[in-house]
Amino acid sequence: MSLHSFQQGPSQGIEANSIRSIGEATFIMLPTPEEVAVVAAMKLGQFIKDDPAGVLGLATGGTMVEPYRVLVELISSQSLKVDELTTFNLDEYYPISVENEASYRSYMNTHLFIPARFPLTPANGAQWGKTYVPYCPSEGDIEDFCDEYERAIIAAGGVGLQLLGIGENGHIGFNEPGSSADSITRIVPLDPSTRAANARFFSTPEEVPTHAITMGLSTIMASEEVLLVATGHKKIDAIKHAFFSPPTPEIPASILQHHSKVTVIIDEEIGKALPFK
Ligand code: GLP
């Protein structure tokens, strides 16, 4: 798999037996996390190429570091235009300062926006240029902020392609187990297991914020298309429960079984453990 096949379309170079359908979802299984990153980046790059003024939903986490690195390369080598693109990130810790390197604004600036030269000014809270990350400085304003974030997504025309990672407990964004199907952008407490899983991004476990602002499950389901990326054995159970058992609020990602256009890109470590027929 190489970036050279980008010109022929993102599914070039993927062997037919790596592609499976489970319900409405299409699974692409690739040998290594590096290849997962290349195919994910090509899909994002294709979206930008086809709709340079489109609306892209973005995700963070360790899984996305490599796809973003490849996407930066693709944007530069293919001269893809990002000036007119609008992006909405799924989530952000609360409270957190944007200067904190573990904040998702900082993550996005570092891994994608700055190296790919997204216009980022004037910087204003959640919105920097046409990039949005849900950040609200004061507690009293959170509800209004969340409503405003939802309105901004709708005003931009809705998300065309939403990138998603998945938590070990099946969360998407920060929609923890038990999240309601009709949830929209809101403040949520973080599951202790999520705080523990994300402690690696902070100097001490106590520094992991107790809350987050996240798009809701209904916000995610409203996107036209979803691209979920997962690698490594720690995500096996989450993917298995999300797509190979009946949907349940206990596994928030299982709601994606009701979405009509979902692509799941996984590595073999996960793929080999899945009960494909
Ligand atoms: C984090 C984020 C999610 C992300 C998931 C997986 O907590 N809120 O949006 O998809 O957990 O993260 P990682 O890729 O680091 O495993």
Side-chain angles (χ1 to χ4, degrees):
M1 187 67 47
S2 88
L3 281 185
H4 299 302
S5 49
F6 181 71
Q7 294 293 2
Q8 287 102 54
S11 39
Q12 281 300 309
I14 300 173
E15 288 176 30
N17 64 1
S18 313
I19 304 177
R20 306 284 173 88
S21 290
I22 298 297
E24 297 287 314
T26 302
F27 272 68
I28 302 177
M29 183 168 76
L30 298 158
T32 64
E34 290 70 27
E35 285 166 275
V36 166
V38 170
V39 174
M42 288 209 277
K43 196 138 168 60
L44 295 168
Q46 192 66 44
F47 178 86
I48 299 172
K49 188 177 175 191
D50 292 345
D51 193 3
V55 180
L56 195 51
L58 295 174
T60 51
T63 312
M64 301 306 166
V65 170
E66 187 61 9
Y68 286 148
R69 192 193 62 72
V70 180
L71 180 60
V72 168
E73 219 178 292
L74 203 55
I75 287 170
S76 149
S77 67
Q78 304 294 319
S79 307
L80 301 179
K81 276 183 62 68
V82 294
D83 314 39
E84 295 302 317
L85 201 65
T86 302
T87 67
F88 286 93
N89 264 78
L90 281 167
D91 50 13
E92 176 64 284
Y93 294 106
Y94 185 86
I96 200 157
S97 138
V98 290
E99 277 87 45
N100 187 327
E101 279 178 27
S103 75
Y104 287 167
R105 164 55 71 183
S106 187
Y107 173 107
M108 291 309 301
N109 286 356
T110 304
H111 294 290
L112 181 64
F113 298 149
I114 292 173
R117 299 170 189 265
F118 279 65
L120 290 178
T121 48
N124 157 31
Q127 183 188 359
W128 297 30
K130 286 170 164 269
T131 73
Y132 292 75
V133 179
Y135 165 75
C136 179
S138 62
E139 203 170 339
D141 297 332
I142 290 183
E143 247 176 68
D144 286 348
F145 169 79
C146 292
D147 290 347
E148 181 52 39
Y149 203 73
E150 284 285 325
R151 276 197 297 274
I153 295 172
I154 293 162
V159 171
L161 175 64
Q162 177 66 58
L163 178 65
L164 291 181
I166 187 167
E168 289 168 37
N169 63 0
H171 73 225
I172 48 177
F174 270 128
N175 293 283
E176 298 283 27
S179 295
S180 134
D182 55 18
S183 53
I184 59 172
T185 303
R186 67 208 187 287
I187 185 159
V188 292
L190 294 180
D191 205 88
S193 70
T194 299
R195 293 186 70 220
N198 289 5
R200 68 193 194 278
F201 299 113
F202 293 82
S203 337
T204 62
E206 297 70 42
E207 262 182 50
V208 184
T210 51
H211 288 72
I213 296 174
T214 182
M215 280 187 196
L217 292 178
S218 158
T219 323
I220 293 169
M221 289 296 281
S223 57
E224 273 173 47
E225 187 176 355
V226 169
L227 173 63
L228 191 150
V229 182
T231 56
H233 68 276
K234 287 187 176 169
K235 303 293 172 70
I236 291 173
D237 284 349
I239 294 287
K240 212 187 262 179
H241 291 131
F243 292 96
F244 294 82
S245 304
T248 159
E250 284 320 300
I251 305 289
S254 65
I255 197 169
L256 297 173
Q257 290 182 39
H258 297 302
H259 196 290
S260 61
K261 210 168 177 196
V262 177
T263 304
V264 182
I265 310 184
I266 49 171
D267 62 0
E268 255 177 31
E269 201 168 358
I270 298 177
K272 284 197 164 143
L274 297 179
F276 287 117
K277 297 232 167 69

